[in-house]
Amino acid sequence: MPRFGRVLTAMVTPFGPDGALDLDGAAALARWLVDNGNDGVVVAGTTGEAPTLSKEEHLLLIQAVRAAVPDAVVVAGAGSNDTRHAIAMTETVTDIGVDAVLSVGPYYNRPPQAGIEAHFRAIAAATDLPIVIYDVPGRTGRRFDHDVLVRLFTEVPNCVAFKDATGDPAGAARLLAAVPDLELYSGDDALTLPLLAVGAVGVIGVSSHWAAPELAEMVAAVEKGDLAHARTVNARLQPSFRYANSETCVFSQSAKAMMNVLGVEVGECRLPLGPAPDGTGARAREVLEALRG
């Protein structure tokens, strides 16, 4: 078993009708996710609308989730494009007692590779917790260089896992060949099977809000060498992957609509995302029907 498990959800952040942070809703959601096939949760990440949370909300959210699922893995988002702020957040979430820190690449300012490497080294030096480095160049504007990652994962003891949303399974295979003991997680639900095939240990997903059992089934099939069954499960998951993200309805919106359909009240997204488009709930029901009949 990988140290953080095989299937984790980058969970949405529940808000009330007035847009206020709903801590009771966050605790209930975390428990529901763990009870429905997840090994753990990632809190206050991109899907959790972290850029719209105040520092106080960010920390209260993590505390509430940690208390709600004491026996599950809780990974706390603590990234920033300001290294000093990322260090401060990392130090604070370390004191909360989470299992690991998710640290995304510096976004918007598009630093050079030397800056990216120095950024993660400084964050890792601020905590004794394991660090999950997150590369999502579609959001940050700068992909991490292969050699930078190799140095971080071989020279920095607590840089132990990689959330890969680069869309490049060949690049993942090259990285795993260079760092065979690296725990690499798919950060793109639709590419989970190709990444598993080259050595990923699991997925930090969004469709895992509602499809964690199927994703776990696919991971287990790959581990057993039953690629035919893994492909069958992957085919069953295709409507979920398509539903999760589009130009008109992004991850946080679609996941919240799905959870509301499932009776787990999480409210709507804050701006700039805003409420899910009309008809999203109906599409969510169609996805569930396609997934489980």
Side-chain angles (χ1 to χ4, degrees):
M1 173 70 76
R3 77 184 72 202
F4 306 126
R6 296 180 176 87
V7 179
L8 299 94
T9 288
M11 63 174 271
V12 297
T13 297
F15 298 124
D18 60 352
L21 178 63
D22 180 0
L23 293 175
D24 290 339
L29 172 61
R31 286 191 290 265
W32 191 94
L33 291 170
V34 171
D35 289 343
N36 285 272
N38 282 277
D39 298 311
V41 294
V42 176
V43 191
T46 308
T47 305
E49 300 176 73
T52 74
L53 300 174
S54 69
K55 181 178 179 180
E56 181 183 15
E57 288 176 325
H58 193 131
L59 299 177
L60 287 172
L61 173 64
I62 294 168
Q63 288 173 326
V65 170
R66 174 73 286 175
V69 288
D71 298 323
V73 172
V74 175
V75 179
S80 174
N81 62 344
D82 173 3
T83 305
R84 292 176 301 173
H85 181 63
I87 289 170
M89 290 297 294
T90 298
E91 291 172 338
T92 303
V93 302
T94 298
D95 294 337
I96 292 173
V98 296
D99 297 287
V101 173
L102 179 76
S103 194
V104 70
Y107 39 85
Y108 184 71
N109 38 20
R110 300 187 75 220
Q113 294 297 324
I116 290 170
E117 182 172 352
H119 174 83
F120 285 115
R121 286 182 181 271
I123 291 167
T127 183
D128 57 359
L129 285 177
I131 303 288
V132 182
I133 293 177
Y134 180 22
D135 192 4
V136 55
R139 292 183 183 274
T140 64
R142 181 79 78 195
R143 183 175 176 177
F144 311 154
D145 185 76
H146 169 84
D147 291 339
V148 167
L149 289 172
V150 170
R151 286 194 294 272
L152 289 170
F153 290 125
T154 57
E155 297 176 7
V156 183
N158 57 334
C159 289
V160 300
F162 185 47
K163 181 181 178 184
D164 187 341
T166 64
D168 181 12
R174 182 182 176 214
L175 178 60
L176 288 166
V179 191
D181 60 346
L182 174 63
E183 294 191 342
L184 186 146
Y185 286 85
S186 170
D188 183 336
D189 294 12
L191 289 179
T192 298
L193 181 54
L195 287 169
L196 290 170
V198 300
V201 298
V203 56
I204 298 174
V206 176
S207 60
S208 48
H209 277 87
W210 64 91
E214 290 77 13
L215 286 163
E217 182 182 355
M218 185 167 67
V219 175
V222 173
E223 289 182 344
K224 293 175 183 176
D226 189 352
L227 293 180
H229 183 62
R231 288 194 296 268
T232 298
V233 178
N234 190 57
R236 198 161 76 239
L237 284 163
Q238 290 303 308
S240 288
F241 298 157
R242 291 193 298 272
Y243 165 80
N245 190 48
S246 70
E247 290 298 318
T248 57
C249 188
V250 300
F251 295 108
S252 304
Q253 294 171 305
S254 58
K256 283 192 167 183
M258 179 66 79
M259 297 315 299
N260 289 328
V261 164
L262 288 168
V264 184
E265 295 297 328
V266 293
E268 302 286 359
C269 294
R270 287 175 171 174
L271 289 173
L273 297 183
D278 291 343
T280 305
R283 290 199 298 117
R285 293 182 181 89
E286 292 172 357
V287 167
L288 289 174
E289 183 176 355
L291 187 64
R292 293 174 188 144

